[in-house]
């Protein structure tokens, strides 16, 4: 049985994380794996309030350092209040975004110092790192076509160049952590992506999944 793993999903806006998370949940339900799913920023009352500030398109004066610290505050609360207790109970945790989002968006996207962001991330998570991270990789032009948001939030309004930098940032993260991070071509059909993700999880955690 698969217990106590932290599985994170990353990628630019419109990469299709939510659909893939739903498909993984369906697979876990089928296999009887206990799990909890959270989205970042969010997942606790306080973190959801911070989310409203972060995504409010009227908050255009939000400085990048303040933005980073707000993401970190939301993550700190989520980690202690929800993620760590769930893992301690043996549940798997699926997280829609985690620390890599801060490195990709605030580091590579906004150009903030990555070493500093790593320290902030480390404080927020008390050193907790994902067991496996799926980076859904897609061309920003295609992702924005997919979203076609009628009313883009503050982050989505940033433009294609910003998302190009974030995409490259994710590639660098993958090079830095080749065992933890798996890049998935998110331009394939949802069904193929899901199959690939399920197979990778089966392979990576084979022993735990078969010794139940
Ligand atoms: P959301 O609507 O949840 O987007 P998505 O469905 O793509 O995850 O909004 C979250 C936004 O916040 C998204 O644009 C990514 C951004 N973000 C950061 O910039 N840094 C972070 O650390 C996190 C967690 C998210």
């Amino acid at each position: 049985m698969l217990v106590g793993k932290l599985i994170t999903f990353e990628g630019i806006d419109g990469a299709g994380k939510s659909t893939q998370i739903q498909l993984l949940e369906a697979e876990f339900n089928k296999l009887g794996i206990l799990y909890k799913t959270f989205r970042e920023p969010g997942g606790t009352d306080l973190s959801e309030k911070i989310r409203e500030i972060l995504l409010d398109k009227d908050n255009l004066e939000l400085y990048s350092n303040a933005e980073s610290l707000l993401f970190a505050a939301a993550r700190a609360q989520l980690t202690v209040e929800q993620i760590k207790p769930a893992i301690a109970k043996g549940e798997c945790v699926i997280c829609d975004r985690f620390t890599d989002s801060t490195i990709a968006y605030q580091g590579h996207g906004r150009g903030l110092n990555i070493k500093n962001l790593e320290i902030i991330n480390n404080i927020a998570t008390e050193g907790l790192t994902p067991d496996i991270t799926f980076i859904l990789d897609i061309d920003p032009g295609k992702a924005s076509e997919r979203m076609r948001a009628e009313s883009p939030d503050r982050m989505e309004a940033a433009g294609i160049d910003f998302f190009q930098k974030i995409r490259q940032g994710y590639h660098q993260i993958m090079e830095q952590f080749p065992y933890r991070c798996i890049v998935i071509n998110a331009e394939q059909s949802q069904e193929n992506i899901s199959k690939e993700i399920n197979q990778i999880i089966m392979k990576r955690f084979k022993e735990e999944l078969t010794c139940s």
Side-chain angles (χ1 to χ4, degrees):
M1 180 53 69
L2 194 62
V3 293
K5 301 286 180 222
L6 175 57
I7 300 170
T8 59
F9 282 77
E10 295 282 353
I12 62 170
D13 294 58
K17 291 180 286 94
S18 317
T19 308
Q20 289 309 317
I21 288 172
Q22 281 170 16
L23 293 169
L24 182 61
E25 289 175 333
E27 182 70 10
F28 278 5
N29 287 336
K30 221 166 60 187
L31 296 172
I33 293 170
L34 298 176
Y35 66 88
K36 282 211 169 88
T37 304
F38 302 105
R39 68 159 179 198
E40 274 223 56
T44 72
D45 288 348
L46 195 120
S47 309
E48 290 291 334
K49 284 182 189 160
I50 298 174
R51 178 185 176 88
E52 281 174 28
I53 299 172
L54 280 163
L55 299 188
D56 184 346
K57 55 183 184 308
D58 291 335
N59 285 341
L60 287 175
E61 77 282 11
L62 185 61
Y63 288 113
S64 298
N65 280 327
E67 179 185 88
S68 301
L69 291 165
L70 284 169
F71 278 117
R75 180 168 305 132
Q77 192 71 24
L78 175 67
T79 301
V80 172
E81 198 178 311
Q82 296 283 3
I83 300 180
K84 284 197 165 178
I87 289 175
K89 273 199 283 178
E91 292 168 330
C92 284
V93 171
I94 303 172
C95 224
D96 185 342
R97 301 194 178 281
F98 200 55
T99 44
D100 296 318
S101 282
T102 297
I103 303 299
Y105 279 73
Q106 281 63 54
H108 294 272
R110 303 265 192 240
L112 296 188
N113 182 291
I114 289 179
K115 288 267 168 280
N116 286 344
L117 294 173
E118 283 171 353
I119 293 168
I120 292 169
N121 269 343
N122 202 38
I123 294 170
T125 61
E126 298 177 332
L128 181 72
T129 52
D131 292 284
I132 193 162
T133 298
F134 293 102
I135 298 175
L136 302 192
D137 185 50
I138 185 169
D139 171 72
K142 289 195 180 129
S144 87
E145 262 170 44
R146 232 188 227 179
M147 283 192 300
R148 292 207 180 276
E150 281 172 17
S151 173
D153 65 36
R154 197 181 57 84
M155 302 301 293
E156 286 163 358
I160 296 280
D161 283 359
F162 179 61
F163 288 106
Q164 229 22 300
K165 288 189 213 158
I166 294 165
R167 184 187 194 193
Q168 281 158 15
Y170 276 124
H171 290 169
Q172 284 190 32
I173 292 170
M174 191 275 296
E175 279 165 24
Q176 198 182 349
F177 304 103
Y179 181 73
R180 172 171 71 81
C181 297
I182 314 279
V183 173
I184 305 279
N185 173 5
E187 293 177 17
Q188 315 170 66
S189 71
Q190 303 289 13
E191 198 195 356
N192 281 356
I193 298 172
S194 166
K195 259 194 217 151
E196 198 177 328
I197 289 173
N198 292 345
Q199 279 168 3
I200 290 165
I201 290 182
M202 279 307 287
K203 205 167 146 208
R204 177 69 60 93
F205 303 117
K206 194 170 171 216
E207 276 179 18
E208 289 160 78
L209 279 163
T210 47
C211 302
S212 44

